[in-house]
Amino acid sequence: MKKSNGIKKVNAAVFISGTGSNLKNLIRFSLKKNSKFNINLIISNNIKAKGLKYAKEFRIKKKIVNYKNISSAEKSILIILKKSKIRLICLAGFMKILSKNFLKEFNGPVVNIHPSLLPKYKGLNTHQRAIDANEKFSGCTVHYVSSKLDSGKIILQKKVKILKKDNLNSLTKKVLKQEHLLYPKALNKIYSNL
Ligand code: GRF
């Protein structure tokens, strides 16, 4: 916990594998007065992740982890989390599954954002699957991470209407816009007692 402007904030790490629009949005939110968290560390399994550029832009420590061997990857992540005094992990498009052991070893909440109304459409290609199934609604969910894929306790969810004219691209954009509103809100909710 760190005091900035007299407000207690939780040290968080964001794990990414790709674009990092949620990462950028969380960083921006974290700089606001009413944010309950700071982003102190960015972790990626992918050296080519576009989102890594935000480390430089916002002067945040980054660590790229070689995932050839999962157990040594997780060990090195746990070490840097400890060094950086991280108390909260936010997964944002991180394409690796964290092991049971990792979740046990890390002493704090691990949270993920998923682009569907869980428990519907766990896993990948959620938008296309929702369109193909003629769903009237899709959306996004922020949830705690458990050892089962996309199955932990839900923190917040936001519905998005699927229109007849929607396609993969338009639905992805619409949901992502809501993700950017939902994720910071959900993180602040976890720490509403601070
Ligand atoms: C988001 O749709 C998120 O819900 C999913 O992966 C995507 C990541 O997008 N888990 P970005 O890298 O944050 O732009």
Side-chain angles (χ1 to χ4, degrees):
M1 219 85 80
K2 199 175 171 183
K3 280 200 168 186
S4 90
N5 301 331
I7 301 163
K8 277 185 183 176
K9 291 198 180 194
V10 176
N11 288 349
V14 181
F15 288 30
I16 61 164
S17 299
T19 315
S21 72
N22 276 288
L23 164 66
K24 182 185 178 194
N25 181 66
L26 286 179
I27 297 170
R28 283 212 168 138
F29 183 86
S30 74
L31 301 174
K32 292 186 180 176
K33 229 181 173 180
N34 64 336
S35 159
K36 310 271 189 188
F37 56 89
N38 286 317
I39 307 296
N40 306 72
L41 178 66
I42 299 165
I43 289 192
S44 181
N45 63 306
N46 176 13
I47 194 165
K48 290 186 178 149
K50 283 194 183 150
L52 284 170
K53 69 178 178 207
Y54 300 119
K56 199 169 176 196
E57 189 177 329
F58 293 95
R59 296 185 185 184
I60 297 172
K61 187 154 73 172
K62 71 168 182 220
K63 165 100 178 150
I64 294 140
V65 182
N66 183 338
Y67 247 83
K68 260 190 188 148
N69 179 310
I70 295 177
S71 122
S72 57
E74 289 191 339
K75 261 185 206 149
S76 70
I77 294 175
L78 284 166
I79 289 170
I80 191 163
L81 292 175
K82 204 167 182 185
K83 255 195 200 161
S84 310
K85 298 194 166 59
I86 299 297
R87 301 279 180 263
L88 166 71
I89 294 177
C90 313
L91 307 183
F94 185 60
M95 301 304 280
K96 296 286 174 189
I97 292 175
L98 298 170
S99 73
K100 240 186 198 170
N101 187 53
F102 179 94
L103 296 172
K104 211 175 82 189
E105 292 286 325
F106 177 69
N107 198 10
V110 182
V111 175
N112 181 39
I113 186 150
H114 184 75
S116 80
L117 293 173
L118 289 174
K120 276 192 167 179
Y121 305 110
K122 296 173 184 177
L124 297 174
N125 304 319
T126 54
H127 299 312
Q128 192 59 56
R129 283 154 64 205
I131 290 170
D132 291 347
N134 288 318
E135 295 281 3
K136 293 210 163 52
F137 292 95
S138 184
C140 46
T141 306
V142 178
H143 65 94
Y144 288 107
V145 172
S146 69
S147 50
K148 266 193 183 170
L149 182 70
D150 301 328
S151 298
K153 191 172 172 245
I154 290 172
I155 302 165
L156 280 180
Q157 218 164 33
K158 176 73 185 177
K159 257 188 185 179
V160 172
K161 201 165 191 313
I162 304 179
L163 304 174
K164 282 223 171 84
K165 60 173 188 190
D166 270 325
N167 54 33
L168 177 59
N169 189 33
S170 66
L171 185 59
T172 305
K173 274 193 186 153
K174 272 205 288 196
V175 173
L176 200 57
K177 203 171 162 194
Q178 292 307 320
E179 290 185 35
H180 296 165
L181 296 173
L182 194 71
Y183 210 170
K185 207 169 156 191
L187 297 181
N188 258 13
K189 188 180 172 204
I190 299 177
Y191 298 103
S192 54
N193 61 329
L194 289 185

